[in-house]
Amino acid sequence: MSTTTTSLPSRAEALPPPTERYTVLGWLHKNLFSTWYNALLTVIFGVVVILLLRSALEWALTQARWEVITANLRLFMVGQYPAAATWRAWACVVLLALLIGLSWGIWGRNQRAGAITFGALPFLLAILAQGEARAALLIVGVAGAIGFVLSRWRSAQLQRISILGWVIYFPLVILLISGLGGADGPLSLVTTNLWGGLLLTLLLTVVGIVFSFPLGVALALGRQSSLPIVRALCVIYIEVIRGVPLITVLFMAQLMLPLFLPGVTIDRVVRAMAGIVLFSAAYLAENVRGGLQAIPRGQYEAARALGLNTWKMMLLIILPQALRAVIPILVGQFIALFKDTSLVVIVGLLDLMGIAKAVLAQPDFLGLQAEVYLFVALVYGVFCYLMSAFSQRLEARLNAAR
């Protein structure tokens, strides 16, 4: 006698819910022409877009003088950085491409479309570039491809190397850009007054993010401390810094830091970095405090029930959850910090916006504000989009791991 058994499919074997599929005409009818007023709005919006796009393309292709960008491209990128030492900046970009390729292959291997798009970008830019820049961009693209292929081949073995590479990357960049030897050495010292353009903008941003993050977390924890003096000092610092604009903090850093450290010569760029770090840390502390307050009290009680002390409870239980909850806010603040670095032009530093103003003062390119500021806006937009896209990927990955 045979018996038959029936069992329900397990949760892992359950089929996903069916998804609706449309043809192109079906999608257009559903999303753009479903009703008469939707069709009217679609037609009006389409006509406006066509008129604006036609005018913009006509200006960009026939009237704009893009030679102002090509003639000053090096100034936009590195400012007055010595031409003989430009290879150091390219070496930093090559190392960054290698690390991104490694990391993408290890942790983002499912994002194939993004990998192809991001990996093809250096090769597309190499088509538009000329001379030394073209060869350097090709090397950047090859380095990224090598990192991606290696990580696909030896993912487990290269994971620790990739993490170590990200840890030492920033100090290595500072060493390469600033130099440490004499004038005749391969790494001759380059004073910071020669740093400029996009190079200075990125350095100010990275320093602001790297150093303001631990300071902001410490301030957020101090504001919730049970020690009244620590809590009062953190509250005073946060409220005072948040009560003044960034320009004031930058001027204070330029004028007051030498007074606090008599006999010590502090570089202007370092003073600007200090002002940006102090300003950003106060806002970051409030964002992290919002994440801390969102953690249920049960998490604290469960950690104490396990016998964890305060430091272990914060580092292992509370902070990971709090930081994950405020990832979009933190990335939004980092994007704002990236754009706020343009204010350093007020204290005499030539970042990307400062170089744009200097280029517009050249006699051959007077009156070309539209071309110059459009190019600067494009550079800012690309970097802000990359930061935002990274935030979305990180948030999706962490939420998926819940």
Side-chain angles (χ1 to χ4, degrees):
M1 179 178 180
S2 64
T3 60
T4 59
T5 59
T6 59
S7 62
L8 294 174
S10 64
R11 186 174 182 180
E13 298 172 347
L15 296 176
T19 56
E20 294 181 289
R21 295 183 179 181
Y22 296 98
T23 61
V24 175
L25 292 178
W27 185 90
L28 290 174
H29 180 268
K30 181 176 184 297
N31 294 280
L32 301 178
F33 300 98
S34 58
T35 60
W36 69 268
Y37 47 86
N38 277 346
L40 181 61
L41 289 174
T42 300
V43 171
I44 294 175
F45 183 74
V47 171
V48 172
V49 169
I50 290 173
L51 291 176
L52 293 177
L53 194 60
R54 178 183 176 185
S55 301
L57 288 176
E58 183 179 356
W59 172 81
L61 298 177
T62 61
Q63 300 176 16
R65 294 177 56 192
W66 296 112
E67 62 267 23
V68 65
I69 304 300
T70 56
N72 296 283
L73 187 58
R74 188 175 173 281
L75 270 179
F76 281 114
M77 294 297 107
V78 295
Q80 296 178 330
Y81 201 79
T86 308
W87 66 269
R88 300 186 203 172
W90 281 115
C92 296
V93 179
V94 170
L95 288 175
L96 179 63
L98 182 63
L99 284 175
I100 290 177
L102 278 173
S103 304
W104 207 304
I106 294 173
W107 293 289
R109 57 178 58 200
N110 295 328
Q111 310 296 331
R112 294 181 180 177
I116 294 173
T117 304
F118 201 70
L121 185 61
F123 298 103
L124 294 176
L125 292 176
I127 298 174
L128 303 176
Q130 298 176 350
E132 178 188 353
R134 173 176 294 176
L137 284 169
L138 289 176
I139 295 174
V140 170
V142 171
I146 291 175
F148 185 79
V149 172
L150 285 177
S151 61
R152 300 281 291 187
W153 180 41
R154 297 286 185 183
S155 176
Q157 292 83 353
L158 292 175
Q159 189 167 350
R160 291 184 178 179
I161 296 177
S162 179
I163 295 174
L164 179 63
W166 282 112
V167 172
I168 66 174
Y169 176 74
F170 182 66
L172 187 62
V173 167
I174 295 295
L175 178 64
L176 283 173
I177 296 299
S178 61
L180 49 74
D184 298 332
L187 288 178
S188 59
L189 188 65
V190 178
T191 56
T192 56
N193 60 342
L194 299 178
W195 299 5
L198 182 61
L199 172 67
L200 181 59
T201 298
L202 293 179
L203 286 176
L204 290 172
T205 304
V206 174
V207 169
I209 293 174
V210 170
F211 288 95
S212 68
F213 183 76
L215 181 58
V217 172
L219 287 169
L221 295 176
R223 185 160 187 168
Q224 290 198 326
S225 172
S226 58
L227 302 175
I229 296 179
V230 174
R231 185 172 63 249
L233 290 176
C234 292
V235 170
I236 291 172
Y237 175 84
I238 292 172
E239 296 303 329
V240 168
I241 295 296
R242 292 178 68 208
V244 296
L246 176 57
I247 297 175
T248 306
V249 178
L250 289 174
F251 275 117
M252 291 285 289
Q254 294 290 324
L255 299 176
M256 301 299 290
L257 279 183
L259 299 180
F260 289 134
L261 299 172
V264 178
T265 302
I266 305 176
D267 190 85
R268 284 191 310 159
V269 173
V270 176
R271 281 180 273 174
M273 289 176 176
I276 291 173
V277 169
L278 295 176
F279 183 82
S280 179
Y283 282 87
L284 194 143
E286 286 300 277
N287 293 333
V288 174
R289 187 171 69 90
L292 292 173
Q293 290 181 340
I295 305 300
R297 300 303 303 174
Q299 296 291 315
Y300 293 85
E301 296 168 357
R304 290 193 180 96
L306 292 174
L308 299 180
N309 58 31
T310 303
W311 287 106
K312 287 185 178 179
M313 178 181 68
M314 283 295 174
L315 292 177
L316 301 177
I317 305 297
I318 304 302
L319 268 181
Q321 297 182 72
L323 294 178
R324 183 169 59 184
V326 296
I327 286 176
I329 304 173
L330 293 181
V331 176
Q333 182 185 346
F334 293 154
I335 291 175
L337 172 65
F338 174 61
K339 293 183 289 187
D340 286 345
T341 56
S342 60
L343 292 175
V344 298
V345 70
I346 297 174
V347 293
L349 299 179
L350 293 178
D351 71 324
L352 189 57
M353 283 298 296
I355 292 294
K357 289 186 176 181
V359 168
L360 288 174
Q362 296 177 359
D364 293 337
F365 303 117
L366 293 177
L368 300 182
Q369 287 87 352
E371 291 86 346
V372 171
Y373 286 126
L374 185 62
F375 173 73
V376 172
L378 179 64
V379 174
Y380 275 103
V382 168
F383 280 93
C384 290
Y385 173 76
L386 291 177
M387 295 170 72
S388 177
F390 174 74
S391 164
Q392 293 175 6
R393 297 295 183 192
L394 181 62
E395 188 179 2
R397 184 178 181 84
L398 292 178
N399 283 333
R402 278 185 175 178

